[in-house]
């Protein structure tokens, strides 16, 4: 820059201001320490309920069972804390751990400092490739342009002319140089204000956790009541308070629903790990449960649907349009060589501007080994872009006495003015540019001129005798995986909306390419005219799937309007401008690589590889997790019915007690892994992504599913009751009868896994696709059952007498035969539906 550098702040003033106003950094309070994560986990209602259950066992005097339960709680808490910490570590890796460096003028000298040390009123020297560390106004500019897509959503660079125009923290200098006077740092920047506004937006609660907590509390109250009633009845009927206390403890262990919160936490933790294997980081576990309910997916255009880069899309010479994506024979026709040649000459030699980079890329690809590349020429003069003339020119000096070559590029209107086109030619040029703009392209005109090296260089671009060469069109290319991903979302009943700050022409073009149908395009100004009432706005948005020129506040308004209309909203984005909507949505999904720190902090999910198809994968996994969780809860409820029945029925019918606390403890070892591991590992159901989303407010277990679970438990109880009554009728001793009944109970409960793996009925549903985890759990359970009922030392510890082999096999066969009754109950339930 030709102007003299200002003196800038003194070192002493800068140090004082840094101490008084704080460092120029954002979001440090959002980084959670290990202690903070542990504190959040310990305060979870699910863990508090588990701790309460352990305390009840301890109060009942069963310290062994209490310690086992509390140990299990500690293990689950450790797994959860480790999972959360890994999430935070992954986010730390995504963050810029050191703020951008800044070239600042202090006491008249330029020096490089950390961006966090920049203070208000500092003077910064900006160059291509610099990340601006603070908000400010441009004092001087030399072909200066910045990429502000992270704030505005627009992929086009914004030219700065040095007329105290604003420039923003976090934006990138893509062209030229300039001087910036800092006006705001840290939380006072535009980026900081958006981040700070997130604290006013409440994060969606977890309906599933609330439902399970409510169900757990209800069953716990029911269990305590039944335990007291059973103990009282036993004492009154049999006059033995010790046996009454034992019966009450046994029933309490059978009823207390500690599995429910454990299953919930394990499913979500394992689900987060499963989703992470597809490069999707889960920041809030309750987002996993909401994935299956998603009815609307709001996507940002720049960086989400598109690649957030400029690519040469079309060339036009003499009205002949060439789509560069479909080049004949894979080569650039000769008629377009000169247009591309002068587009490169009008660009920087080593550009940062995305459009100039695209020119160089195509020239290296299609003009190599031709006379149209001129590495030996030297750049002699540059004519800058100005508010009065949106065009820039480069004057190149050739070897020898050949004329100097002038190349210019700029807005089509500016190029038409420089070329002094007659009215008819000007109208044709503007019409051709409008056709390209209607395709969503950014359009530039290219022209050339010659100048004698023996003459003075003109002071103005207008003084050259320019000749029009043609037009070039740029596009921010669609990510190749996007159309298929959007098509799969639509097949799954998920409405896809595109919300962008870009031009309506561009928005419509990208929507067409992506396969997003809409009955119209709504702009920000039109949206503002609809008013602020969320419910009314939600009705007005029906059928509108493309939004353009939308501000960050309007993105948030759209999300809130959709929520008010009863939709479950997932929102994707990567810029700071997306953060409020990301946090307000039921599921905020941030891009990890291109995404800003503020967007990632606000989101519930982060795509580590910025792969749009991962969103669909996450939704598919979310549906699978919820379906498997539903089957696990149904199984858990069913297996508790025979446990409760076998604890109470002997008292009512005057029979010896069957179950003791040690038996319940063994059964817990069957129930917990079966629910947590077997069902979580079940593959997704066929046609899962061809079904509509789960209804909002749909309970985990509907009334038919609840009745089916109770019916299955009653059938197992019936089989156990038959085995116990028959054993006593055959005059077998109590210990042998207890062993035979226990064999029926464990084998039937283990095989109950099979019909609960799927809501479908049939042998294929029972045994088809049985996972290795399920096979190991079933095999391990039945082997353990054989050991504790056949080896005298182990059997004695359980109060059993090992039955004869024939009786053992008969009891086991009865347990297996119960599977037929269980499958029959599913067929009846399906017939009733």
């Amino acid at each position: 820059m030709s102007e003299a550098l200002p003196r800038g702040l003194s070192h002493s003033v800068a140090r004082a201001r840094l101490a008084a106003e704080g460092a120029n950094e954002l979001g440090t309070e959002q980084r959670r320490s290990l202690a903070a994560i542990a504190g959040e986990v310990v305060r979870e209602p699910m863990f508090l309920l588990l701790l309460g259950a352990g305390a009840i066992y301890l109060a009942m005097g069963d310290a062994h069972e209490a310690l086992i339960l509390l140990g299990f709680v500690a293990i689950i808490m450790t797994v959860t804390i480790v999972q959360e910490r890994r999430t935070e570590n992954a986010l730390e890796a995504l963050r810029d751990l050191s703020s951008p460096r800044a070239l600042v003028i202090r006491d008249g000298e330029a020096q490089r400092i950390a961006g966090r040390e920049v203070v208000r009123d500092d003077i910064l020297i900006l160059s291509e490739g610099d990340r601006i560390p603070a908000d400010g106004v441009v004092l001087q500019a030399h072909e200066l342009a910045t990429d502000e897509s992270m704030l505005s959503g627009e992929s086009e660079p914004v030219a700065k002319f040095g007329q105290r125009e604003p420039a923003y923290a976090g934006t990138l200098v893509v062209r030229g140089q300039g001087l910036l006077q800092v006006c705001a740092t840290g939380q006072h920047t535009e980026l900081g204000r958006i981040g700070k506004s997130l604290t006013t937006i409440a994060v969606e609660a977890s309906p599933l956790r609330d439902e399970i907590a409510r169900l757990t509390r209800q069953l716990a109250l029911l269990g305590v009541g039944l335990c007291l009633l059973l103990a009282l009845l036993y004492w009154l009927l049999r006059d033995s308070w010790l046996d009454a206390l034992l019966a009450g403890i046994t029933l309490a262990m059978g009823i207390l629903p500690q599995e429910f919160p454990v299953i919930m936490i394990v499913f979500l933790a394992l689900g987060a790990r499963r989703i992470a294997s597809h490069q999707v980081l889960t920041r809030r576990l309750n987002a996993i449960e909401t994935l299956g309910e998603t009815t609307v997916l709001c996507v940002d255009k720049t960086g989400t649907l598109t690649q957030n880069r400029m690519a040469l899309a079309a060339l036009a010479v003499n009205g002949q349009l060439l789509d560069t994506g479909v080049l004949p024979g894979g080569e650039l026709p000769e008629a377009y060589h000169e247009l591309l040649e002068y587009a490169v000459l009008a660009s920087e030699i080593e550009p940062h501007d995305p459009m100039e980079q695209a020119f160089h890329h195509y020239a290296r690809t299609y003009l190599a080994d031709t006379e149209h590349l001129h590495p030996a020429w030297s750049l002699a003069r540059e004519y800058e872009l100005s508010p009065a003339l949106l065009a820039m020119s480069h004057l190149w000096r050739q070897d020898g006495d050949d004329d100097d070559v002038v190349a210019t590029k700029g807005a089509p209107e500016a190029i038409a003015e420089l070329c002094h086109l007659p009215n008819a030619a000007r109208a044709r040029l503007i019409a051709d540019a409008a056709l390209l703009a209607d395709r969503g392209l950014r359009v530039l005109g290219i022209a050339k001129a010659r100048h004698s090296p023996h003459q003075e260089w003109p002071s103005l671009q207008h003084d050259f005798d320019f000749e029009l060469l043609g037009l070039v069109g740029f596009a921010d290319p669609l990510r190749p995986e996007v159309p298929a991903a959007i098509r799969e979302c639509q097949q799954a009943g998920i409405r896809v909306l595109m919300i962008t700050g870009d031009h309506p022409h561009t928005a419509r073009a990208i929507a067409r390419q992506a396969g997003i149908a809409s009955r119209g395009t709504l702009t920000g100004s039109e949206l503002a005219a609809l008013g602020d009432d969320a419910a009314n706005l939600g009705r007005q948005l029906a059928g509108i799937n493309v939004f353009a020129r939308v501000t960050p506040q309007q993105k948030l308004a759209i999300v809130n309007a959709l929520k008010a209309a009863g939709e479950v909203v997932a929102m994707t984005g990567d810029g700071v401008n997306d953060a409020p909507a990301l946090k307000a949505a039921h599921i905020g999904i941030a891009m990890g690589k291109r995404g800003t720190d503020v967007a990632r902090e606000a989101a519930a999910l982060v795509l580590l590889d910025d792969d749009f198809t991962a969103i669909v994968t996450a939704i598919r996994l979310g549906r699978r997790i919820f379906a498997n969780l539903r089957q696990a809860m149904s199984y858990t409820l069913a297996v508790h019915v025979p446990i409760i029945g076998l604890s109470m029925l002997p008292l009512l019918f005057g029979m010896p007690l069957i179950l003791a606390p040690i038996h319940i403890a063994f059964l817990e070892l069957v129930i917990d892994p079966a629910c947590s591991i077997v069902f979580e590992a079940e593959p997704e159901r066929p046609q899962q992504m061809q079904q509509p989303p789960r209804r909002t407010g749909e309970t985990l277990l509907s009334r038919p599913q609840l009745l089916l679970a109770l019916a299955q438990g009653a059938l197992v109880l019936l089989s156990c009751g038959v085995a116990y009554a028959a054993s006593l009728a055959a005059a077998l001793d109590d210990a042998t009868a207890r062993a035979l009944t226990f064999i029926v109970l464990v084998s039937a409960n283990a095989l109950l896994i099979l019909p609960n793996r799927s809501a479908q009925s049939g042998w294929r549903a029972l045994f088809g696709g049985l996972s290795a985890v399920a096979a190991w759990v079933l095999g391990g359970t039945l082997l353990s059952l054989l050991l504790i009922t056949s080896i005298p030392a182990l059997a004695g510890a359980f109060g059993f007498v090992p039955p004869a082999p024939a009786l053992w096999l008969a009891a086991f066969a009865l347990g297996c035969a119960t599977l037929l009754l269980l499958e029959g109950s599913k067929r009846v339930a399906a017939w009733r539906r």
Side-chain angles (χ1 to χ4, degrees), residues 122-180:
D122 257 334
I123 305 296
L124 306 181
I125 300 176
L126 304 180
S127 301
E128 288 186 7
D130 286 350
R131 181 76 63 179
I132 299 177
D135 285 4
V137 292
V138 178
L139 302 179
Q140 298 177 19
H142 175 66
E143 297 186 359
L144 183 65
T146 61
D147 176 2
E148 298 180 357
S149 61
M150 62 173 292
L151 286 170
S152 66
E154 296 189 38
S155 55
E156 299 176 8
V158 179
K160 306 292 182 182
F161 301 109
Q163 300 175 341
R164 297 194 69 83
E165 294 169 279
Y168 301 102
T171 60
L172 183 69
V173 178
V174 295
R175 186 179 67 234
Q177 300 85 36
L179 288 183
L180 179 84

Side-chain angles (χ1 to χ4, degrees), residues 652-821:
L652 299 178
F653 290 98
M655 298 176 178
L657 292 179
I658 301 174
L659 299 179
I662 191 171
H663 302 138
I664 307 296
F666 179 85
L667 289 169
E668 294 292 331
L669 294 176
V670 176
I671 296 171
D672 287 335
C675 295
S676 302
I677 302 175
V678 173
F679 287 101
E680 196 281 330
E682 283 298 304
E684 68 181 68
R685 276 61 173 167
Q687 307 300 313
Q688 184 171 271
M689 288 297 285
Q690 279 71 51
Q691 299 172 356
R694 191 173 73 252
R695 293 191 307 276
T696 305
E698 180 180 340
T699 58
L700 184 61
L701 292 178
S702 63
R703 186 181 296 274
Q705 291 165 332
L706 188 63
L707 293 175
L708 176 61
L710 295 176
Q712 289 178 332
L715 290 174
V716 175
L717 175 60
L718 177 63
S719 297
C720 294
V722 168
Y724 192 51
S727 299
L728 294 179
L732 296 176
D733 60 89
D734 294 350
T736 302
R738 187 180 296 115
L740 293 173
T741 306
F742 196 72
I743 292 170
V744 176
L745 174 63
V746 174
S747 57
N749 274 350
L751 294 175
L752 183 58
I753 292 173
L754 298 177
N756 277 284
R757 291 172 56 238
S758 169
Q760 305 298 319
S761 59
W763 295 111
R764 183 185 298 273
L766 281 177
F767 297 103
L770 190 67
S771 66
V773 174
W776 276 102
V777 169
L778 285 172
T781 300
L782 297 178
L783 177 61
S784 300
L785 176 64
L786 177 64
L787 295 176
I788 66 171
T789 55
S790 300
I791 299 176
L794 293 176
F798 280 80
F800 298 150
V801 169
L807 291 176
W808 198 101
L809 290 174
F812 180 70
L814 178 58
C816 294
T818 307
L819 179 62
L820 300 176
L821 296 176

Side-chain angles (χ1 to χ4, degrees), residues 215-297:
L215 180 61
T216 301
R217 287 193 298 268
Q218 291 170 349
L219 289 179
L221 291 173
L222 176 64
V224 170
L226 287 177
C227 293
L228 295 175
L229 178 61
L230 179 63
L232 181 61
L233 285 175
Y234 201 106
W235 184 35
L236 293 175
L237 295 176
R238 302 194 182 184
D239 196 25
S240 173
W241 68 269
L242 286 175
D243 288 340
L245 183 59
L246 179 62
I249 291 173
T250 303
L251 182 59
M253 294 179 65
I255 292 181
L256 282 177
Q258 65 266 27
E259 295 92 352
F260 287 175
V262 169
I263 294 168
M264 174 74 176
I265 294 299
V266 169
F267 260 72
L268 294 183
L270 293 180
R273 182 177 178 183
R274 194 177 296 278
I275 291 176
S277 68
H278 294 275
Q279 298 301 297
V280 181
L281 184 67
T282 304
R283 298 201 68 244
R284 294 201 295 268
L285 287 180
N286 57 321
I288 295 174
E289 67 181 77
T290 316
L291 282 168
E293 297 179 356
T294 302
T295 59
V296 175
L297 175 59

Side-chain angles (χ1 to χ4, degrees), residues 73-418:
V73 172
I75 293 172
I76 295 298
M77 285 178 62
T78 301
V79 170
T80 306
I81 291 172
V82 168
Q83 171 71 26
E84 292 279 339
R85 188 57 185 167
R86 284 180 176 175
T87 297
E88 288 299 313
N89 288 340
L91 285 172
E92 289 287 343
L94 289 171
R95 292 186 183 108
D96 293 325
L97 293 179
S98 59
S99 57
R101 305 285 291 176
L103 187 58
V104 63
I105 302 173
R106 297 269 174 87
D107 287 325
E109 295 182 357
Q111 63 180 101
R112 187 75 64 177
I113 64 171
R116 67 183 306 276
E117 297 175 6
V118 170
V119 298
R120 186 168 46 84
D121 290 331
D122 257 334
I123 305 296
L124 306 181
I125 300 176
L126 304 180
S127 301
E128 288 186 7
D130 286 350
R131 181 76 63 179
I132 299 177
D135 285 4
V137 292
V138 178
L139 302 179
Q140 298 177 19
H142 175 66
E143 297 186 359
L144 183 65
T146 61
D147 176 2
E148 298 180 357
S149 61
M150 62 173 292
L151 286 170
S152 66
E154 296 189 38
S155 55
E156 299 176 8
V158 179
K160 306 292 182 182
F161 301 109
Q163 300 175 341
R164 297 194 69 83
E165 294 169 279
Y168 301 102
T171 60
L172 183 69
V173 178
V174 295
R175 186 179 67 234
Q177 300 85 36
L179 288 183
L180 179 84
Q181 182 178 14
V182 175
C183 296
T185 61
Q187 298 289 343
H188 302 290
T189 62
E190 186 67 22
L191 188 154
R193 280 193 292 272
I194 294 176
K196 195 173 182 180
S197 70
L198 299 180
T199 59
T200 64
I201 301 173
V203 177
E204 289 293 321
S206 167
L208 185 57
R209 289 194 182 194
D210 293 343
E211 181 184 351
I212 290 180
R214 184 170 58 253
L215 180 61
T216 301
R217 287 193 298 268
Q218 291 170 349
L219 289 179
L221 291 173
L222 176 64
V224 170
L226 287 177
C227 293
L228 295 175
L229 178 61
L230 179 63
L232 181 61
L233 285 175
Y234 201 106
W235 184 35
L236 293 175
L237 295 176
R238 302 194 182 184
D239 196 25
S240 173
W241 68 269
L242 286 175
D243 288 340
L245 183 59
L246 179 62
I249 291 173
T250 303
L251 182 59
M253 294 179 65
I255 292 181
L256 282 177
Q258 65 266 27
E259 295 92 352
F260 287 175
V262 169
I263 294 168
M264 174 74 176
I265 294 299
V266 169
F267 260 72
L268 294 183
L270 293 180
R273 182 177 178 183
R274 194 177 296 278
I275 291 176
S277 68
H278 294 275
Q279 298 301 297
V280 181
L281 184 67
T282 304
R283 298 201 68 244
R284 294 201 295 268
L285 287 180
N286 57 321
I288 295 174
E289 67 181 77
T290 316
L291 282 168
E293 297 179 356
T294 302
T295 59
V296 175
L297 175 59
C298 299
V299 296
D300 181 57
K301 179 190 75 69
T302 305
T304 304
L305 294 180
T306 66
Q307 300 174 30
N308 198 20
R309 65 178 181 86
M310 281 294 176
L312 198 58
L315 301 173
V317 174
N318 294 325
Q320 299 299 311
L321 180 66
L322 175 69
D323 185 346
T324 58
V326 189
L327 292 178
E331 295 183 358
L332 183 68
E334 179 68 31
Y336 299 91
H337 282 197
E338 189 178 29
L339 177 64
L340 183 55
E341 172 190 2
Y342 277 84
V344 172
L345 290 173
S347 304
E348 297 293 338
I349 298 173
E350 296 183 359
H352 285 79
D353 184 291
M355 290 183 289
E356 294 185 348
Q357 288 176 338
F359 283 141
H360 279 264
H361 168 73
Y362 273 86
R364 287 193 300 269
T365 304
Y366 298 110
L367 298 184
D369 302 322
T370 71
E371 73 279 6
H372 296 287
L373 294 182
H374 311 286
W377 289 8
S378 59
L379 182 61
R381 174 73 186 270
E382 295 183 69
Y383 294 84
E384 296 181 17
L385 202 70
S386 69
L389 183 65
L390 296 178
M392 57 186 297
S393 300
H394 285 176
L395 189 149
W396 294 87
R397 174 68 40 89
Q398 303 185 58
D399 295 334
D401 292 331
D402 292 337
D403 286 348
D404 294 338
V405 172
V406 185
T408 189
K409 62 177 170 49
E413 297 84 356
I415 297 301
E417 183 180 346
L418 286 176

